[in-house]
């Protein structure tokens, strides 16, 4: 982790913007995560959060640049090289691989993430997201329910994937 409170503060402030899920807020989050990586280049979590800003940009099609998705992978690999025990990094790789239609790798990364911290709700939620992309809505529902039990104040994107899974099962 980091001992630098300025770095940690930048990441926490970045999260506040990141969960707003607007192009402007995501850009603000990215700036804060970039500041954190500049101040502490060994802080793997900051690279992972930065990677997620590119993921949101890719998923919501805010950028037409094909390198946006590749940037997700680059940042995840950078974070992984620094600390391969961070569940969020494996989850990030999982959603990257799902977009590349490498579903076995995507699911394997998600399954690596969960045992690293069984109480980290986002690992379950991101694995649910991967399961949506693989066409497995029933499993998505189970993973998302686990995530929401672990984090009853879950971010809005949990409900997005939960709703999509219900729609895919015909349970409107």
């Amino acid at each position: 982790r980091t001992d630098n409170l300025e770095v940690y503060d930048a990441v926490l402030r970045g999260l506040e913007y990141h969960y707003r899920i607007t192009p402007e807020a995501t850009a603000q989050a990215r700036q804060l995560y970039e500041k954190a990586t500049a101040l502490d280049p060994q802080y793997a979590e900051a690279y992972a959060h930065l990677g997620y800003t590119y993921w949101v940009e890719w998923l919501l099609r805010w950028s037409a640049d094909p390198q946006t998705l590749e940037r997700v992978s680059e940042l995840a690999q950078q974070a992984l090289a620094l600390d391969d025990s961070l569940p969020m990094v494996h989850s990030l790789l999982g959603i990257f691989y799902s977009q590349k239609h490498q579903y076995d790798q995507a699911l394997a990364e998600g399954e690596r993430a969960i045992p690293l911290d069984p109480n980290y709700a986002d690992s379950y939620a991101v694995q649910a997201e991967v399961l949506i992309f693989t066409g497995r809505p029933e499993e998505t529902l189970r993973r998302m329910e686990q995530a929401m039990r672990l984090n009853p104040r879950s971010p809005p994107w949990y409900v997005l994937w939960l709703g999509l899974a219900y729609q895919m099962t015909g349970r409107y």
Side-chain angles (χ1 to χ4, degrees):
R1 314 307 172 170
T2 186
D3 293 327
N4 185 325
L5 290 179
E6 186 178 359
V7 170
Y8 187 63
D9 183 64
V11 168
L12 291 179
R13 289 177 192 278
L15 285 171
E16 177 66 28
Y17 285 108
H18 182 78
Y19 284 128
R20 293 182 190 172
I21 310 178
T22 67
E24 299 79 20
T26 300
Q28 289 276 63
R30 184 174 295 163
Q31 287 177 348
L32 287 161
Y33 298 146
E34 286 171 344
K35 175 183 177 182
T37 61
L39 292 171
D40 185 351
Q42 300 302 307
Y43 189 33
E45 192 172 321
Y47 290 101
H49 285 298
L50 183 56
Y52 276 104
T53 67
Y54 285 92
W55 165 246
V56 169
E57 187 176 322
W58 170 261
L59 181 68
L60 299 177
R61 305 295 188 250
W62 294 338
S63 170
D65 184 354
Q67 291 302 308
T68 301
L69 184 60
E70 294 308 315
R71 190 74 177 121
V72 172
S73 176
E74 291 166 10
L75 289 162
Q77 293 298 336
Q78 198 166 3
L80 195 64
L82 293 168
D83 186 353
D84 67 350
S85 71
L86 281 177
M88 70 172 29
V89 176
H90 292 283
S91 294
L92 182 59
L93 282 170
I95 55 178
F96 167 77
Y97 287 130
S98 72
Q99 291 300 293
K100 293 294 209 172
H101 305 283
Q102 297 170 353
Y103 298 121
D104 290 339
Q105 285 178 283
L107 292 168
E109 287 295 341
E111 291 303 321
R112 278 189 197 105
I114 292 168
L116 291 171
D117 185 352
N119 293 315
Y120 183 58
D122 285 358
S123 290
Y124 295 92
V126 172
Q127 185 70 339
E129 185 176 343
V130 169
L131 288 163
I132 279 286
F133 292 126
T134 63
R136 296 158 64 178
E138 290 294 339
E139 291 175 71
T140 298
L141 290 172
R142 286 192 296 278
R143 286 293 190 197
M144 196 52 74
E145 287 165 3
Q146 287 174 300
M148 293 175 96
R149 270 194 306 275
L150 289 168
N151 183 1
R153 297 189 63 205
S154 52
W157 61 271
Y158 280 31
V159 179
L160 168 72
W161 299 116
L162 183 67
L164 186 54
Y166 277 121
Q167 181 183 26
M168 289 173 73
T169 61
R171 294 161 59 189
Y172 303 105

